[in-house]
Amino acid sequence: MEKRLVKKDELLRIVKKVGAEFNVFAPVRVEDNVLFKSLAPGEEPLLTFANTKNAPKGVFFPRTEVMIRYVRTPKGTVLKGVELEARDAVLFGVRPCDARSFVLLDLLFDQDKYKDPYYVAKREKATVVTLACTPVPYTACFCTSVGGGPVDGTGSDVLVTDIGDAYLVEFLTPKGERLVKYFGEAKATAEAENKKETAAKEAIEQIKSVIPAREVKPILDVSFDHPFWDTIHKRCLACGTCTYLCPTCHCFDISDEMKYDDGRRLRNWDSCMFPLFTKETSGHNPRPTQKERWRQRVMHKFKYYVDNFNAVACVGCGRCVMYCPVNIDIRKIVEDISKLQQ
Ligand code: SF4
Ligand code: SF4
């Protein structure tokens, strides 16, 4: 594995050079928020930030994307094009939890049997450059409870760690190694690697939220009808913030729009928190109240994903904890489930 040492004041220049060849997405301040977005010409990414409010999943699975375009003719509907184009992209400054979310999304969107060509086209063209969390950004972070860590390289092609006086840059995959040429000639030293190990250990110690996220599955297996589900949803406003900000949530809806004879088929994010999400044409809704919707959210992340892919569908980023307007805390819910009496 190639490793380089990069001076602190060099990194922005390197991103700029990468931007001449690739479409770069990175954390940028937009008014009061730090957002993960495509860099405009001349725009610089933030290097000191906690995490972006939006998850970088939107690069591969946009909030709205056109799938096909078609035209209505007297002889019937004619397909005009399938929107599968993707540009070579570099995602710079992804946090380790969010890089890990890509691996979880791959399990769903890029299976041997079922492939989502829209997701796969963008994912294959993208190189993920992760900025390790030293220090750990939020008290709500619990990545270590779900198999991740603040200096974990899962889902990353390149891992950049601040070691105080410089960055240690590790090229973890062949895709990542395509970027070595931008990062100079200074090879990593044993001293730099030791500093990284120390930084990683200290970062892990900073994570105070530890929850039994992987242990609750056997309890959830037998708790579908438990009275516990009557207790967690009452404050929920069904706003969908938790699902829209979550790096692993991936519910969507597909709709058609017509303007005169031109039509396009769109895929839009949806949310299991919304009453209409499961409403059937007949008017029947199998998840009629927020109780059933919250149960689905928890079951999907901590039981069904484990059943289907042997992985918990949460990376412990803490976004849903920080941004829920009524302070519903998934950490407490998981903790409470772990204590349920059957
Ligand atoms: S963010 Fe909070 S209030 Fe909004 S849907 Fe999620 S749990 Fe409910
Ligand atoms: S469920 Fe919450 S903490 Fe877990 S990945 Fe989604 S937003 Fe982050």
Side-chain angles (χ1 to χ4, degrees), residues 22 59-61 84-91 102 106 109-112 115-128 157 173-176 178:
F22 295 90
V59 176
F60 307 135
F61 173 49
L84 271 177
E85 239 174 70
R87 277 184 63 195
D88 274 326
V90 168
L91 278 62
F102 301 147
D106 290 346
F109 286 119
D110 191 8
Q111 304 175 30
D112 286 341
K115 283 197 191 295
D116 184 297
Y118 299 93
Y119 174 93
V120 171
K122 296 180 202 53
R123 180 82 168 100
E124 282 179 348
K125 291 268 192 169
T127 306
V128 178
D157 298 300
T173 66
K175 242 194 220 176
R178 289 185 313 166

Side-chain angles (χ1 to χ4, degrees), residues 68-96:
I68 58 171
R69 293 181 192 275
Y70 50 87
V71 63
R72 202 163 42 193
T73 73
K75 291 184 178 165
T77 302
V78 178
L79 183 66
K80 274 170 67 182
V82 182
E83 305 266 332
L84 271 177
E85 239 174 70
R87 277 184 63 195
D88 274 326
V90 168
L91 278 62
F92 174 82
V94 174
R95 289 303 189 193

Side-chain angles (χ1 to χ4, degrees), residues 142 242 245-248 297 301 313-320 330:
F142 57 97
C242 50
L245 297 184
C246 177
T248 64
R297 177 163 162 77
K301 291 197 175 294
C314 167
V315 293
C317 70
R319 286 183 178 91
C320 61
I330 203 160

Side-chain angles (χ1 to χ4, degrees), residues 232-233 235-245 271-274 290 294 297 319-321 323-329 333:
I232 61 174
H233 66 283
R235 296 202 309 271
C236 178
L237 308 171
C239 67
T241 301
C242 50
T243 48
Y244 278 12
L245 297 184
S271 168
C272 60
M273 292 287 105
F274 295 156
Q290 214 58 13
W294 245 106
R297 177 163 162 77
R319 286 183 178 91
C320 61
V321 178
Y323 296 111
C324 172
V326 292
N327 297 325
I328 295 179
D329 188 333
I333 290 169

Side-chain angles (χ1 to χ4, degrees), residues 243-301:
T243 48
Y244 278 12
L245 297 184
C246 177
T248 64
C249 279
H250 50 258
C251 293
F252 61 82
D253 194 14
I254 291 175
S255 57
D256 282 67
E257 277 184 1
M258 295 297 296
K259 188 173 180 190
Y260 304 110
D261 287 329
D262 287 317
R264 55 184 198 163
R265 181 158 298 166
L266 299 161
R267 167 155 75 179
N268 301 303
W269 286 359
D270 207 337
S271 168
C272 60
M273 292 287 105
F274 295 156
L276 286 183
F277 181 62
T278 45
K279 192 166 181 185
E280 297 167 8
T281 315
S282 65
H284 170 66
N285 193 337
R287 293 185 206 137
T289 73
Q290 214 58 13
K291 167 188 166 178
E292 292 83 10
R293 296 169 205 140
W294 245 106
R295 177 174 61 193
Q296 166 64 20
R297 177 163 162 77
V298 174
M299 287 283 189
H300 193 185
K301 291 197 175 294

